[in-house]
Amino acid sequence: MKWILFFGALIGPSICGREKFFGDQVFRINVRGGDEISKLSQLLNSDNFKLDVWKSPSTFSHPVDVLVPSVSLQPVKSFLKSQALQYSVTIEDLQIYHEMDNIAGEFPDLARRLKIGHSFENRSLYVLKFSTAEGKRRPAVWLNAGIHSREWISQATAIWTARKIVSDYGKDPAITSILEKMDIFLLPVANPDGYVYTQTKNRLWRKTRSLNSRSPCIGADPNRNWNSSFAGAGTSNNPCSEVYHGPHANSEVEVKSVVDFIQQHGNFKCFIDLHSYSQLLMYPYGYTVNKAPDAEELDEVARCAAKALASLSGTKYQVGPICTTVYPASGSSTDWAYDNGIKYAFTFELRDTGHYGFLLPANQIIPTAEETWLGLKTIMEHVRDHLY
Amino acid sequence: MQPRRPPPPAPGPPRPAAPLLALPLLLLAVQGAAAPTGPEAAEWRPDTGPPHGLLRQAARAALHFLNFRAGSPSALRVLAAVQEGRARINAKKECTVDLVFTTEHYNSEEGEERLGKCSARVFFRNQKPRPAVNVTCARLMEKTKRQQEDYRLYKQMKQLRNPLDGVSIPDSHGHIDPSLRPVWELAFLGSSYVMWEKTTRFLHYYMAQLSGVKQWETNDGAIDFDYTVLLHEFSTQEIIPCRIHLVWSPGKPLTVKYHCQELLAPEDASGTEEGSAVAPTELSNF
C-alpha cells in the first residue's frame, strides 16, 4: 500500500495565487493494476505539469481525480494516450468548490463551508461563512456572486475575496474589526448550473437551467425572480427572454435557497450582489424611479466605496439607483433584500465598460478583485459603524 | 483562401443621402441624415438636465456612426466621458440630443491617454432605430500614422490562413491571439455600422464575440471577409447573432452587408434585419 501514501503526499498546493482558475479540468483516471499506477505516478511526480491530486483511491479499482491546469491539458492528454491510460473529464465548476473547501480546511476557526441548498440540476449551493464567534447570530453581510453565469469576473472575484478575507484577518485592521462585529457569508456561485453550461456549451448563457413547462426555452433570469415587484418593469413573461422572470417569485430553487437562508437567519444588515459588466455601483430601487427612503445615505456610502475602488488603478465607477443608472429591473435580489429590512443593499457591475464585456481577459481578474475589495471593505466598515 | 462566390442580392431599405461638409485641417465633420425640424415641446428643466443615460446613449450612437464613416480599423474610438449635453423632446416623442464628449483610442493597449473631443447632435425617432447623427471630432491620430497602421493591419489580414472557422475571438477567457487582433478590429469596424443602425432611444449594443470567420480572395486586393458577431443588447440582455460581410481596402470606402437574427419565440414579434452600406470615398482624406 506504499503507493497510497505516495499519492497522499502528492496532494499539492492549493490553486490560490494562480491567475487562472478557469480552463482547468479534473481528469478522472482509471487505474487497474500496478503497471498503470507506476505510469500514473510518473505523470503526477513530474514538476512540469503542476498537477494536484484531488481524490486518491483507497483501493486499486477506484479512479484517481487529478486537477490539471489549463496550460498542461495538451501534454497530459498526450501522455495518457501514449501510456494507454483511460480517463474522462469531470464537471469543471468544481474547482471553486474545492478551493472553498481548502479555505475552510486551512482556517477552521474562521471559515466554514455550508450547503444551503441545491440547484435545479442538483448541484450543491455552497456558501462560505466567515465568523469569529461561532454559535452567536451576529449581524451579517451577504456577498452574492455568479447569479448570472456568463459574468465570470463575478465568481472569480468572489473566490479571490474569500481567500483575501482569511489571509488578511488578524493583519489588516479593517477586515479584522469588521469580523469582530459581524459575520460574512459568501456565495461565489449562485447559479452553478448556468456556470457549468457556460464552460461546456454556451459561454454567454445567463439564466438558470430550469425547464419551462410550456416552452422549449430553458431557464429563468434569477435576478428577476425575487419577490420584489415581481413581474414588473424590466422583466419579460416570455420564457425565451434573457429577463424572463419565471412562473412565480422564488420559482428558481437557487433563489429560494438564499431567501430561505437569509430569512431564517434573520439578522442580515448588508447584501451585496456582484455582476458584470459596466462599472456601476448601485442601490435600490430597480423596480421604480421612486427614491428609496435611505437613498441619500446609500448614495454617500456608494460614492465612498467607488472612490476607494478607483484609488487603486483609477477604474471609474458610476453611482446611483439601479433604475436610472442602468435600467428598470424588477424582482432583483438587491431590491428584495432592501424591502426585507436589509438596509445596506448594493449591486456592483464590475469591469469593463464594453470592450471585452463578459469575456474579460484573465489577466484582469486579480486587478478587478483587488480594487473591488477596497469598495467592499468601505461598505462593510460603514455597516459595522452603523449597525441598527 | 477560396474565391468569393457571387453574393446574394442585398435587400434592405433605401439609404438616406449623406451630404458631406468641407474638411478643415484639424476637424473631421461627419453628417448623417438631417434631423427634421418641428415644434419642440418639452425640454428638461435646467436644474435636472437630461438623464445622463440619454446623453451616453447619444454618444454611443454618434461614435458607432463616426467609426463606420471614418472607415479606419486602426483609428477606432470609444467613449471616454460625456462632458455636457442638452436634449429636447417633441410631441411625437422624438428626441434631439446635443452633446460634447471625449473619446479614447479603442485599440490602445499601451495605455496611451490621449483624449479626443467631439461634439454631436443625435436625433432619436422615438423607439425607431437608425438615429440621425451629425458629429464633429478633433483628430485623434496623425493622418500618416493612421494610414501606416491601416496598411499594416491590411497586410496582417492578407497573411492570415483559413480556416479560421471554429475559432472564437476572443476565446472564453477573453484572450485574443495577437495574429487575430486585426480580425477583431476590422470586425469592430464593420459591426459599428450594424450597431449604429440598430441603436434606438432605448437599445444599445456591444460586440461580445466573433466566430465563423472566413476570408475570401479578391481580384483587386481588397480584404473580403464574412463573420458572425454576437451583439450584446442593452437593456434586454439578449445576445443577437449577426452575419456580416465586409469589404475593405485602406483608404477606400468600406462596404458592409449584414443579417441579424432576433431569437425570441414566435409569440414575440421576431424577425431578421438586413442592411448594407458603402461609406463615401471623400471621407478617407482626413
Side-chain angles (χ1 to χ4, degrees), chain B residues 168-204:
Chain B
S168 288
I169 305 168
D171 68 13
S172 282
H173 303 290
H175 177 68
I176 301 178
D177 194 281
S179 68
L180 296 177
R181 199 95 223 161
V183 178
W184 175 256
E185 286 169 358
L186 205 45
F188 184 78
L189 177 60
S191 306
S192 295
Y193 177 73
V194 181
M195 292 191 283
W196 163 62
E197 283 225 324
K198 289 173 71 61
T199 296
T200 71
R201 164 73 183 85
F202 299 105
L203 295 176
H204 65 272

Side-chain angles (χ1 to χ4, degrees), chain A residues 107-292:
Chain A
F107 297 89
D109 296 328
L110 185 54
R112 279 175 54 208
R113 192 181 74 166
L114 308 174
K115 178 170 167 172
I116 64 163
H118 59 84
S119 68
F120 183 82
E121 291 174 348
N122 218 8
R123 292 184 175 84
S124 299
L125 292 169
Y126 284 127
V127 156
L128 271 173
K129 177 184 180 186
F130 302 96
S131 176
T132 58
E134 241 350 283
K136 293 203 193 131
R137 208 189 39 130
R138 276 193 172 154
V141 176
W142 183 274
L143 299 178
N144 211 55
I147 202 170
H148 288 142
S149 38
R150 62 193 180 196
E151 299 166 8
W152 281 12
I153 188 59
S154 170
Q155 299 95 330
T157 295
I159 196 63
W160 180 96
T161 303
R163 198 30 97 167
K164 184 69 171 167
I165 291 173
V166 292
S167 307
D168 275 14
Y169 175 74
K171 299 187 187 114
D172 170 41
I175 189 59
T176 307
S177 67
I178 287 166
L179 282 169
E180 290 306 316
K181 287 249 180 75
M182 309 189 295
D183 292 342
I184 300 174
F185 290 81
L186 173 67
L187 174 59
V189 188
N191 177 8
D193 297 348
Y195 189 47
V196 172
Y197 200 72
T198 59
Q199 292 179 325
T200 54
K201 292 271 169 23
N202 178 355
R203 174 61 179 82
L204 294 174
W205 187 261
R206 165 187 170 90
K207 301 188 285 182
T208 60
R209 294 291 301 165
S210 56
L211 297 174
N212 288 303
S213 56
R214 272 161 297 152
S215 167
C217 289
I218 292 184
D221 184 340
N223 207 30
R224 302 286 186 278
N225 188 244
W226 301 67
N227 194 12
S228 57
S229 187
F230 178 78
T235 68
S236 169
N237 63 0
N238 182 344
C240 301
S241 164
E242 296 280 30
V243 294
Y244 172 52
H245 45 59
H248 57 83
N250 300 328
S251 62
E252 304 312 287
V253 62
E254 296 83 353
V255 169
K256 184 166 196 319
S257 304
V258 175
V259 169
D260 287 348
F261 186 90
I262 289 180
Q263 284 183 330
Q264 260 173 14
H265 182 282
N267 204 18
F268 276 89
K269 303 299 175 195
C270 177
F271 181 98
I272 301 175
D273 200 5
L274 300 181
H275 290 259
S276 77
Y277 54 94
S278 287
Q279 290 173 207
L280 307 170
L281 216 187
M282 303 177 287
Y283 48 86
Y285 285 117
Y287 66 74
T288 173
V289 292
N290 295 340
K291 265 175 88 165

